[in-house]
């Protein structure tokens, strides 16, 4: 016989919910552990945050999942292959392509029909973004290292060329009615350069050997330009390990000065 589905008050939920914020998209990663206290369960439901689309649901006992839309309110339904009386772990991913950097609010993926829900909540942001302000309500700050160890596998499943992200905050949520808000900005890109030059004077010619250390901030550097004094010719440009670096010579039509366009294919972080 088919066991009846659980009713409210018979399931305990524990989650790790991580929001990944970039300039182009916002991704939500959730690992939800659902422990059945009484009876048997073959379906779990979740309230999907506004603006998000569920992209994947993974579980060893998963039969199927679908999203129902009722007047704009979306509900995720997860069906199991058979009723369970133990613990079920679900990995859920969702994406929102409309980002709000100035008035961001933590999206909540809420299990429905559960007796209690506690969670570790984390925030990852693109390395080119900065969080100017973070405000919380009904959250307890915890060490970011706890979040690093608990990151869902979906965080590491990124497309080539996707932005690099870093954890900036982690909290413990003892109940569902928490608030986490922030404002994100993109600091201006800047490159600092430190040059060391050695000039050797000879009877027939002069030699200049130099080292330039480039330190980019808030943006990966893929090219740099150098101006060359009149009458000078650049012989070689090499990396720190001695390997040659390609460059192009560009002569200004206005004053005849030479500029070097140096390419850094690997990028300087």
């Amino acid at each position: 016989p088919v066991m009846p589905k659980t009713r409210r008050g018979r399931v305990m939920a524990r989650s790790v919910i991580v929001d990944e914020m970039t300039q182009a998209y916002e991704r939500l990663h959730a690992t939800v552990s659902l422990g059945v206290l009484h009876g048997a369960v073959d379906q779990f439901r979740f309230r999907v945050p506004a603006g998000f689309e569920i992209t994947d649901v993974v579980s060893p006992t998963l039969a199927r999942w679908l999203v129902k839309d009722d007047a704009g309110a979306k509900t995720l339904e997860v069906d199991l292959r058979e009723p369970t009386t133990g613990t079920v772990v679900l990995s859920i991913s969702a994406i929102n392509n409309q980002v709000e950097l100035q008035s961001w609010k933590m999206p909540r993926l809420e299990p429905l029909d559960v007796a209690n829900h506690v969670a570790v909540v984390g925030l990852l942001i693109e390395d080119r973004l900065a969080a100017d302000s973070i405000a919380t309500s009904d959250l307890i700050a915890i060490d970011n290292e706890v979040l690093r160890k608990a990151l869902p596998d979906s965080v590491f499943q990124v497309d080539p060329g996707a932005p690099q992200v870093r954890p900036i905050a982690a909290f413990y949520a003892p109940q569902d009615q928490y608030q986490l808000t922030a404002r994100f900005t993109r600091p201006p890109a800047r490159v600092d350069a430190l040059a060391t030059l050695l000039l050797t004077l000879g009877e027939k010619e002069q030699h200049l050997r130099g080292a330039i250390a480039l330190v980019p901030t808030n943006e990966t550097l893929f090219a740099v330009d150098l101006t060359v004094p009149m009458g000078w010719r650049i012989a070689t440009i090499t990396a720190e390990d001695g390997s040659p670096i390609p460059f192009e010579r560009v002569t200004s039509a206005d004053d005849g000065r030479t500029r070097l366009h140096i390419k850094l294919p690997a990028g300087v972080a």
Side-chain angles (χ1 to χ4, degrees):
V2 176
M3 299 292 290
K5 296 179 182 179
T6 187
R7 295 176 182 156
R8 182 181 300 275
R10 295 188 180 181
V11 175
M12 301 286 286
R14 294 181 292 114
S15 302
V16 176
I17 303 174
V18 178
D19 190 77
E20 175 188 350
M21 192 69 183
T22 74
Q23 298 176 83
Y25 60 84
E26 181 179 7
R27 287 202 306 168
L28 195 63
H29 311 266
T31 300
V32 186
S33 177
L34 299 143
V36 181
L37 301 180
H38 303 288
V41 179
D42 61 4
Q43 184 187 82
F44 296 104
R45 301 190 307 134
F46 300 84
R47 182 175 293 111
V48 180
F52 279 81
E53 298 290 337
I54 301 297
T55 57
D56 200 14
V57 179
V58 178
S59 176
T61 59
L62 176 69
R64 67 162 191 161
W65 62 270
L66 61 88
V67 176
K68 290 187 175 180
D69 194 337
D70 184 13
K74 295 181 179 180
T75 301
L76 169 65
E77 293 186 354
V78 179
D79 292 330
L80 307 181
R81 290 197 296 266
E82 59 185 22
T84 181
T85 59
T87 298
V88 176
V89 178
L90 303 176
S91 296
I92 303 171
S93 302
I95 192 168
N96 182 2
N97 290 314
Q98 301 293 325
V99 298
E100 182 56 68
L101 296 178
Q102 295 299 312
S103 55
W104 173 84
K105 183 178 180 180
M106 178 74 185
R108 293 204 302 265
L109 182 73
E110 300 179 36
L112 301 176
D113 308 322
V114 298
N116 188 33
H117 179 215
V118 298
V120 170
V121 179
L123 176 58
L124 309 178
I125 67 171
E126 184 179 343
D127 56 1
R128 290 180 290 183
L129 292 177
D132 285 352
S133 62
I134 297 178
T136 66
S137 174
D138 297 319
L139 289 173
I140 301 169
I142 59 177
D143 193 330
N144 274 355
E145 192 60 30
V146 175
L147 178 62
R148 291 179 189 273
K149 295 178 180 179
L151 286 176
D153 292 339
S154 57
V155 173
F156 306 101
Q157 298 169 359
V158 298
D159 297 328
Q164 296 292 320
V165 295
R166 68 187 192 278
I168 64 166
F171 304 92
Y172 172 68
Q175 57 183 355
D176 266 333
Q177 303 307 312
Y178 61 84
Q179 297 287 339
L180 174 59
T181 60
R183 181 166 60 93
F184 303 107
T185 60
R186 180 176 178 177
R190 188 184 73 186
V191 178
D192 293 328
L194 176 64
T196 303
L197 304 175
L198 175 64
L199 177 65
T200 303
L201 301 177
E203 294 182 357
K204 296 182 179 181
E205 59 185 6
Q206 305 174 56
H207 289 270
L208 183 67
R209 184 176 181 85
I212 300 177
L214 301 172
V215 185
T217 303
N218 302 321
E219 193 79 47
T220 300
L221 185 66
F222 291 97
V224 65
D225 288 355
L226 294 180
T227 56
V228 181
M230 294 289 291
W232 285 80
R233 180 180 64 87
I234 298 296
T236 60
I237 299 179
T238 59
E240 191 174 11
D241 60 2
S243 59
I245 296 179
F247 64 92
E248 300 174 356
R249 291 183 175 89
V250 180
T251 302
S252 172
D254 297 331
D255 55 13
R257 293 183 59 123
T258 299
R259 177 172 56 86
L260 303 182
H261 182 64
I262 303 170
K263 298 179 180 179
L264 306 167
V268 179

